[in-house]
Amino acid sequence: MNNNEINLPAVVAEVAEAFQRYEQALISNDIAELDALFWHDDRTVRLGAGENLYGIEAIRAFRAARPSAGLYRQLRNTVITTFGTDFAVCSTEFTRPGSERPGRQQQSWVRLPQGWQIVAAQVSLLEGQ
């Protein structure tokens, strides 16, 4: 892959739109939309702040059991990098009102027949800063 295929503007715009859909679904606890944005496969991985989830069924169970309050967050330092037309990495930091622990999130997105989907995600919290 050459540098001309990194961050093609149209692809970055598509991934940014999918990333914003994810963020809106997350803070509004739209479980159906969150599910639609994750690859429906046993190889999907989500490593969370307090859980390791392997496979879409484990991710679905986590989402269904998670409290729906206190999900709003502010994002900062969001970086979207695309490689060619079918792969992207989204990285961001976040803060939540009332919490002194900043968080960070990274997602790998792949264009599949059903659209852009998360195939791997990681979320972690830092000590208060």
Side-chain angles (χ1 to χ4, degrees):
M1 174 174 300
N2 63 50
N3 284 340
N4 293 337
E5 297 177 79
I6 298 173
N7 281 357
L8 296 168
V11 180
V12 172
E14 290 175 11
V15 175
E17 189 273 331
F19 180 80
Q20 289 296 28
R21 281 178 49 209
Y22 171 86
E23 187 62 23
Q24 184 56 45
L26 181 72
I27 65 174
S28 64
N29 202 37
D30 184 342
I31 294 173
E33 181 71 357
L34 290 168
D35 186 62
L37 291 168
F38 273 78
W39 185 31
H40 296 177
D41 195 273
D42 289 340
R43 293 167 288 186
T44 305
V45 176
R46 181 187 176 279
L47 304 177
E51 66 286 331
N52 295 329
L53 307 172
Y54 295 92
I56 190 62
E57 294 306 323
I59 295 167
R60 286 175 174 152
F62 168 79
R63 294 266 185 236
R66 185 177 69 164
S68 61
L71 298 176
Y72 177 79
R73 61 192 196 163
Q74 284 287 135
L75 302 184
R76 66 175 187 230
N77 298 324
T78 300
V79 176
I80 296 173
T81 307
T82 65
F83 300 88
T85 59
D86 299 323
F87 181 77
V89 176
C90 299
S91 305
T92 196
E93 298 174 30
F94 61 88
T95 56
R96 286 203 160 95
S99 175
E100 294 187 20
R101 295 186 73 190
R104 53 195 171 177
Q105 168 187 297
Q106 194 164 56
Q107 302 165 328
S108 297
W109 292 75
V110 175
R111 183 195 309 268
L112 295 167
Q114 52 276 46
W116 284 100
Q117 292 193 307
I118 299 164
V119 298
Q122 182 274 333
V123 179
S124 60
L125 297 173
L126 300 171
E127 293 302 318
Q129 296 180 355

